Amino acid sequence: MQQLLADVISISPLTEFIFKVELKPAQAAEFKAGQYLQVVLGEKDKRAFSIASKPSQTDLLELHIGAGVADGYARQALDHLRSHHAAGTQANLEVGLGVSELREQSTRPIILLAGGTGFSYVKSMAYHLQEVDCDRPVFFYWGVKDSSALYADDEMKAWAASNPHFNYIPVIENPAADWQGHSGYVHLAVLKDFVSLVDYDIYMAGRFDMIGIVRDDFINQGAIREQMYADAFAFIK
């Protein structure tokens, strides 16, 4: 873990309740694709957010913070960062946390699964895999409530087009009548597409209650627990 001070460069809306935060660290940030950072609000008050930027981008850290009206955890952190942005002062960060980073030594094909703003966890890995010219098949599933929440849809289509091994599959829980892709819960789309998950490395991010269900359903379809990665596992049974 690396302690850093960082300038808050920008805070911009991605949707009505999701914001992109760009932070410029005072020194090169060191982390692995799939790790997270903590925004330090106080000595005993630290808020964790996945790093959306790729590890090679050491001079700019990107976060996607979903701060709905009822989400005090994220909203208070966002207000804290806004105050630093307005004042031109530096925020205190702890960078390079988590145990669910990309396992680059593996040769297995990869399933990346994100629910909502869990997208930021997966984005870092997706762009790192693109940068290192990964030749392993990669299947990126992004599940959202409705189409307006696919704030990086065009970006991820371009990512998929950059490599014949990359596949991007958006999944909308409540689709409009003209939607022609997968619908319903994102992990059920994976179960529909793969007869067995035994041969895959699987990386997941989303609500804790969702991740517990996904883990169990995937194991029932052959997934190996030791080949499944989510920091949420540390907090659920």
Side-chain angles (χ1 to χ4, degrees):
M1 186 268 291
Q2 183 185 27
Q3 294 182 318
L4 293 173
L5 292 174
D7 293 319
V8 183
I9 301 300
S10 67
I11 299 175
S12 54
L14 294 168
T15 70
E16 183 179 1
F17 296 115
I18 300 173
F19 297 84
K20 180 170 78 170
V21 178
E22 293 183 317
L23 305 161
K24 184 175 179 59
Q27 63 190 83
E30 299 175 3
F31 64 96
K32 296 177 182 178
Q35 289 192 311
Y36 65 89
L37 62 73
Q38 292 187 140
V39 178
V40 180
L41 276 65
E43 184 178 349
K44 296 183 178 180
D45 189 357
K46 303 174 182 182
R47 311 292 172 97
F49 299 99
S50 293
I51 302 171
S53 42
K54 57 189 179 183
S56 63
Q57 195 171 357
T58 60
D59 61 345
L60 190 68
L61 296 166
E62 179 183 326
L63 310 179
H64 297 179
I65 299 181
V69 175
D71 190 350
Y73 180 95
R75 187 164 37 80
Q76 290 160 17
L78 191 62
D79 288 344
H80 174 82
L81 293 169
R82 281 187 174 127
S83 68
H84 281 286
H85 181 54
T89 55
Q90 293 181 308
N92 190 4
L93 309 176
E94 295 179 349
V95 178
L97 300 164
V99 296
S100 298
E101 72 276 4
L102 182 69
R103 267 56 175 183
E104 294 189 60
Q105 71 278 9
S106 173
T107 59
R108 287 183 288 271
I110 298 168
I111 294 174
L112 306 173
L113 182 144
T117 54
F119 171 81
S120 54
Y121 165 73
V122 173
K123 179 185 177 183
S124 178
M125 290 188 284
Y127 276 88
H128 179 71
L129 290 166
Q130 180 187 51
E131 186 173 63
V132 299
D133 294 325
C134 174
D135 61 1
R136 298 155 65 187
V138 181
F139 302 88
F140 182 168
Y141 286 79
W142 184 18
V144 296
K145 291 282 188 183
D146 55 65
S147 59
S148 65
L150 289 174
Y151 56 82
D153 191 49
D154 289 341
E155 183 181 355
M156 297 322 301
K157 286 176 180 175
W159 168 83
S162 73
N163 186 318
H165 300 291
F166 292 172
N167 304 272
Y168 164 61
I169 306 97
V171 184
I172 299 179
E173 189 173 331
N174 301 308
D178 59 349
W179 174 249
Q180 304 200 355
H182 280 297
S183 61
Y185 294 133
V186 63
H187 83 289
L188 296 183
V190 177
L191 295 176
K192 179 180 178 182
D193 288 348
F194 295 89
V195 173
S196 173
L197 297 171
V198 67
D199 294 323
Y200 294 84
D201 287 340
I202 304 173
Y203 299 87
M204 304 179 290
R207 299 188 324 270
F208 284 6
D209 57 342
M210 164 193 147
I211 293 301
I213 294 169
V214 173
R215 176 197 58 195
D216 295 344
D217 285 354
F218 279 7
I219 288 173
N220 287 337
Q221 197 135 324
I224 306 300
R225 171 62 185 83
E226 290 74 22
Q227 294 168 200
M228 301 173 67
Y229 306 98
D231 285 314
F233 288 165
F235 302 95
I236 60 178
K237 295 181 179 180

